[in-house]
Amino acid sequence: SQKKYVVANQVLKSGCSIGANVREAQNAESKLDFIHKLKVAIKEAEETEYWLMLCNQSASYPDTADLIEQVRGIIKILGKIISTTKKSLTLKGSN
């Protein structure tokens, strides 16, 4: 049961960090800072996905397949926001 606590704690920490970093990005000082903070959010989402995948491999944990799909959706959304923001920086730089 102690091992379950460790994994659950890791999922909680990395999962909450995704939202915290997105919130920080909303108050970024520049577009580059915005991109950086969203990249950190993606890293946290990927870590969350990792821990959920470990849970899915253990018979003593509940099925996390739905949560994994949700996290992957968040990663895709954040990646699209980053790429769109980078494009807007490139367009401004070429004018």
Side-chain angles (χ1 to χ4, degrees):
S1 69
Q2 184 66 22
K3 289 179 186 176
K4 279 188 179 181
Y5 173 77
V6 170
V7 173
N9 193 38
Q10 289 295 96
V11 170
L12 180 65
K13 284 201 261 185
S14 60
C16 288
S17 185
I18 301 165
N21 282 291
V22 169
R23 187 69 179 250
E24 272 193 58
Q26 291 172 333
N27 295 303
E29 295 177 16
S30 66
K31 284 193 178 188
L32 290 175
D33 187 37
F34 176 78
I35 290 167
H36 172 72
K37 288 178 181 355
L38 287 185
K39 284 183 176 181
V40 173
I42 286 177
K43 286 181 181 183
E44 293 296 333
E46 288 174 346
E47 181 181 343
T48 303
E49 179 186 20
Y50 168 79
W51 289 111
L52 290 171
M53 288 170 58
L54 282 182
C55 290
N56 233 18
Q57 298 301 314
S58 175
S60 63
Y61 285 89
D63 182 33
T64 60
D66 185 51
L67 293 172
I68 291 169
E69 286 307 309
Q70 289 180 39
V71 168
R72 287 179 180 162
I74 290 168
I75 292 168
K76 287 180 185 176
I77 290 167
L78 294 175
K80 183 64 175 173
I81 293 168
I82 289 169
S83 67
T84 302
T85 305
K86 283 181 176 180
K87 284 179 187 173
S88 76
L89 286 173
T90 304
L91 291 175
K92 282 185 177 182
S94 63
N95 289 340

